[in-house]
PDB file of all heavy atoms in Angstrom:
ATOM      1  N   GLU T  10     -19.229   6.107  -1.106  1.00 94.00           N
ATOM      2  CA  GLU T  10     -18.564   7.109  -0.217  1.00 94.00           C
ATOM      3  C   GLU T  10     -18.503   6.653   1.256  1.00 94.00           C
ATOM      4  O   GLU T  10     -17.537   6.681   1.916  1.00 94.00           O
ATOM      5  CB  GLU T  10     -19.183   8.470  -0.341  1.00 94.00           C
ATOM      6  CG  GLU T  10     -18.908   9.160  -1.689  1.00 94.00           C
ATOM      7  CD  GLU T  10     -19.675  10.479  -1.827  1.00 94.00           C
ATOM      8  OE1 GLU T  10     -20.219  10.959  -0.908  1.00 94.00           O
ATOM      9  OE2 GLU T  10     -19.743  10.881  -3.045  1.00 94.00           O
ATOM     10  N   VAL T  11     -19.712   6.172   1.651  1.00 94.00           N
ATOM     11  CA  VAL T  11     -19.858   5.661   3.060  1.00 94.00           C
ATOM     12  C   VAL T  11     -18.921   4.430   3.264  1.00 94.00           C
ATOM     13  O   VAL T  11     -18.178   4.275   4.292  1.00 94.00           O
ATOM     14  CB  VAL T  11     -21.213   5.363   3.421  1.00 94.00           C
ATOM     15  CG1 VAL T  11     -21.427   4.533   4.751  1.00 94.00           C
ATOM     16  CG2 VAL T  11     -22.093   6.696   3.472  1.00 94.00           C
ATOM     17  N   CYS T  12     -18.959   3.547   2.387  1.00 94.00           N
ATOM     18  CA  CYS T  12     -18.161   2.305   2.503  1.00 94.00           C
ATOM     19  C   CYS T  12     -16.693   2.603   2.378  1.00 94.00           C
ATOM     20  O   CYS T  12     -15.898   2.001   3.191  1.00 94.00           O
ATOM     21  CB  CYS T  12     -18.549   1.268   1.346  1.00 94.00           C
ATOM     22  SG  CYS T  12     -20.201   0.544   1.571  1.00 94.00           S
ATOM     23  N   THR T  13     -16.272   3.529   1.598  1.00 92.00           N
ATOM     24  CA  THR T  13     -14.808   3.976   1.527  1.00 92.00           C
ATOM     25  C   THR T  13     -14.405   4.577   2.771  1.00 92.00           C
ATOM     26  O   THR T  13     -13.341   4.281   3.432  1.00 92.00           O
ATOM     27  CB  THR T  13     -14.634   4.901   0.317  1.00 92.00           C
ATOM     28  OG1 THR T  13     -15.003   4.217  -0.891  1.00 92.00           O
ATOM     29  CG2 THR T  13     -13.212   5.413   0.277  1.00 92.00           C
ATOM     30  N   GLU T  14     -15.281   5.395   3.424  1.00 94.00           N
ATOM     31  CA  GLU T  14     -14.934   6.139   4.674  1.00 94.00           C
ATOM     32  C   GLU T  14     -14.822   5.056   5.729  1.00 94.00           C
ATOM     33  O   GLU T  14     -13.896   5.047   6.511  1.00 94.00           O
ATOM     34  CB  GLU T  14     -16.082   7.106   5.012  1.00 94.00           C
ATOM     35  CG  GLU T  14     -15.754   7.901   6.189  1.00 94.00           C
ATOM     36  CD  GLU T  14     -16.768   9.042   6.419  1.00 94.00           C
ATOM     37  OE1 GLU T  14     -17.291   9.567   5.482  1.00 94.00           O
ATOM     38  OE2 GLU T  14     -17.050   9.275   7.608  1.00 94.00           O
ATOM     39  N   LEU T  15     -15.726   4.087   5.857  1.00 93.00           N
ATOM     40  CA  LEU T  15     -15.650   3.001   6.848  1.00 93.00           C
ATOM     41  C   LEU T  15     -14.362   2.154   6.582  1.00 93.00           C
ATOM     42  O   LEU T  15     -13.727   1.816   7.627  1.00 93.00           O
ATOM     43  CB  LEU T  15     -16.916   2.222   6.761  1.00 93.00           C
ATOM     44  CG  LEU T  15     -18.215   2.849   7.292  1.00 93.00           C
ATOM     45  CD1 LEU T  15     -19.330   2.019   7.073  1.00 93.00           C
ATOM     46  CD2 LEU T  15     -18.033   3.235   8.796  1.00 93.00           C
ATOM     47  N   ALA T  16     -14.149   1.778   5.375  1.00 92.00           N
ATOM     48  CA  ALA T  16     -12.944   0.867   5.122  1.00 92.00           C
ATOM     49  C   ALA T  16     -11.703   1.638   5.453  1.00 92.00           C
ATOM     50  O   ALA T  16     -10.800   0.983   6.080  1.00 92.00           O
ATOM     51  CB  ALA T  16     -12.929   0.494   3.624  1.00 92.00           C
ATOM     52  N   THR T  17     -11.459   2.798   5.136  1.00 92.00           N
ATOM     53  CA  THR T  17     -10.226   3.581   5.427  1.00 92.00           C
ATOM     54  C   THR T  17     -10.225   3.797   6.957  1.00 92.00           C
ATOM     55  O   THR T  17      -9.103   3.755   7.442  1.00 92.00           O
ATOM     56  CB  THR T  17     -10.141   4.836   4.649  1.00 92.00           C
ATOM     57  OG1 THR T  17     -11.270   5.679   4.850  1.00 92.00           O
ATOM     58  CG2 THR T  17     -10.030   4.550   3.242  1.00 92.00           C
ATOM     59  N   ALA T  18     -11.205   3.981   7.612  1.00 92.00           N
ATOM     60  CA  ALA T  18     -11.247   4.112   9.104  1.00 92.00           C
ATOM     61  C   ALA T  18     -10.754   2.866   9.805  1.00 92.00           C
ATOM     62  O   ALA T  18      -9.981   2.879  10.789  1.00 92.00           O
ATOM     63  CB  ALA T  18     -12.633   4.534   9.590  1.00 92.00           C
ATOM     64  N   ILE T  19     -11.166   1.764   9.281  1.00 90.00           N
ATOM     65  CA  ILE T  19     -10.690   0.442   9.772  1.00 90.00           C
ATOM     66  C   ILE T  19      -9.182   0.313   9.701  1.00 90.00           C
ATOM     67  O   ILE T  19      -8.503  -0.009  10.606  1.00 90.00           O
ATOM     68  CB  ILE T  19     -11.429  -0.706   9.185  1.00 90.00           C
ATOM     69  CG1 ILE T  19     -12.877  -0.722   9.567  1.00 90.00           C
ATOM     70  CG2 ILE T  19     -10.751  -2.014   9.475  1.00 90.00           C
ATOM     71  CD1 ILE T  19     -13.775  -1.776   8.744  1.00 90.00           C
ATOM     72  N   VAL T  20      -8.705   0.696   8.493  1.00 93.00           N
ATOM     73  CA  VAL T  20      -7.222   0.666   8.343  1.00 93.00           C
ATOM     74  C   VAL T  20      -6.515   1.613   9.219  1.00 93.00           C
ATOM     75  O   VAL T  20      -5.508   1.276   9.845  1.00 93.00           O
ATOM     76  CB  VAL T  20      -6.821   0.941   6.787  1.00 93.00           C
ATOM     77  CG1 VAL T  20      -5.393   1.034   6.603  1.00 93.00           C
ATOM     78  CG2 VAL T  20      -7.492  -0.227   5.942  1.00 93.00           C
ATOM     79  N   ARG T  21      -7.003   2.810   9.295  1.00 90.00           N
ATOM     80  CA  ARG T  21      -6.320   3.819  10.178  1.00 90.00           C
ATOM     81  C   ARG T  21      -6.385   3.425  11.636  1.00 90.00           C
ATOM     82  O   ARG T  21      -5.485   3.862  12.397  1.00 90.00           O
ATOM     83  CB  ARG T  21      -7.089   5.216  10.029  1.00 90.00           C
ATOM     84  CG  ARG T  21      -6.731   5.928   8.706  1.00 90.00           C
ATOM     85  CD  ARG T  21      -7.421   7.274   8.660  1.00 90.00           C
ATOM     86  NE  ARG T  21      -6.868   8.055   7.524  1.00 90.00           N
ATOM     87  CZ  ARG T  21      -7.460   8.049   6.288  1.00 90.00           C
ATOM     88  NH1 ARG T  21      -8.516   7.358   6.100  1.00 90.00           N
ATOM     89  NH2 ARG T  21      -6.954   8.730   5.279  1.00 90.00           N
ATOM     90  N   ASP T  22      -7.320   2.658  11.982  1.00 89.00           N
ATOM     91  CA  ASP T  22      -7.493   2.204  13.469  1.00 89.00           C
ATOM     92  C   ASP T  22      -6.812   0.833  13.636  1.00 89.00           C
ATOM     93  O   ASP T  22      -7.067   0.155  14.635  1.00 89.00           O
ATOM     94  CB  ASP T  22      -8.913   2.219  13.760  1.00 89.00           C
ATOM     95  CG  ASP T  22      -9.098   2.077  15.280  1.00 89.00           C
ATOM     96  OD1 ASP T  22      -8.277   2.661  16.034  1.00 89.00           O
ATOM     97  OD2 ASP T  22     -10.083   1.360  15.731  1.00 89.00           O
ATOM     98  N   GLY T  23      -5.953   0.371  12.647  1.00 87.00           N
ATOM     99  CA  GLY T  23      -5.267  -0.844  12.852  1.00 87.00           C
ATOM    100  C   GLY T  23      -4.503  -1.055  14.126  1.00 87.00           C
ATOM    101  O   GLY T  23      -3.931  -0.044  14.669  1.00 87.00           O
TER     102      GLY T  23
END
Side-chain angles (χ1 to χ4, degrees):
E10 289 172 14
V11 168
C12 290
T13 299
E14 187 174 323
L15 291 172
T17 57
I19 290 169
V20 174
R21 282 185 173 89
D22 194 38

